[in-house]
Amino acid sequence: MSVQLLTAATADGKSTDTLLKFILISGFILNALLLAALIYLIINTAKLKKSTGFIQEPAIRSSTKKLAEPNVGQVIEKQILALASERGGTLSVVETAYFTKLSLELSHRALESFVTRGFAEIKEKKGATLYHFQGILTEYEKVTAKSLDDLLDDRYS
């Protein structure tokens, strides 16, 4: 039936065989062009990923990813704790913002977070609000600290 349609469609006298050959060759050429375009896109995508440094990592479970990468809050906490350690355990909001390059608002919220979780306490000094981290000792406090044995001896003597 399709041969009859092709014969009817060839009003200018072309033979059916020639028309079928033309259609087949055209199909092969189109397939070859599509394959070439696909290869071109794959190669250029690979070059783009390589040049921009974007390489997709295989998908990992979210629980594994959480362990591998610290979140922003953890990074900020570490920055603030390192700064508190360097500065003797006491920080102000402005000082924290200046040395960590965080905004004043974010510095204030982070320090307040330490207070609400019980890791720091607020102290007032000359009208300034200071956040003191109890677990961080100054070098003087470390040197003059008594050992557990000395404390026990003092208690029972």
Side-chain angles (χ1 to χ4, degrees), residues 27-120:
F28 286 130
I29 291 172
L30 283 175
N31 282 337
L33 287 173
L34 286 173
L35 182 62
L38 183 63
I39 291 171
Y40 174 79
L41 288 173
I42 291 171
I43 290 171
N44 282 339
T45 303
K47 285 181 185 177
L48 180 63
K49 285 181 180 179
K50 189 175 183 181
S51 68
T52 60
F54 174 75
I55 298 174
Q56 280 186 318
E57 297 177 11
I60 55 177
R61 292 183 303 201
S62 62
S63 61
T64 307
K65 189 173 183 180
K66 286 181 183 176
L67 293 176
E69 297 177 6
N71 64 27
V72 175
Q74 290 172 332
V75 172
I76 291 171
E77 278 187 3
K78 285 183 180 182
Q79 283 183 314
I80 292 174
L81 290 173
L83 180 62
S85 178
E86 292 170 10
R87 317 260 325 152
T90 304
L91 297 172
S92 70
V93 173
V94 174
E95 187 176 38
T96 303
Y98 178 77
F99 287 107
T100 61
K101 306 299 184 226
L102 299 171
S103 68
L104 287 169
E105 177 63 30
L106 188 55
S107 297
H108 181 260
R109 288 191 349 229
L111 290 170
E112 286 294 324
S113 171
F114 281 109
V115 172
T116 57
R117 292 181 292 151
F119 297 116

Side-chain angles (χ1 to χ4, degrees), residues 130-144:
L130 300 175
Y131 296 84
H132 179 70
F133 293 81
Q134 298 94 345
I136 299 176
L137 302 176
T138 64
E139 289 303 316
Y140 177 76
E141 290 171 325
K142 289 177 186 176
V143 171
T144 59

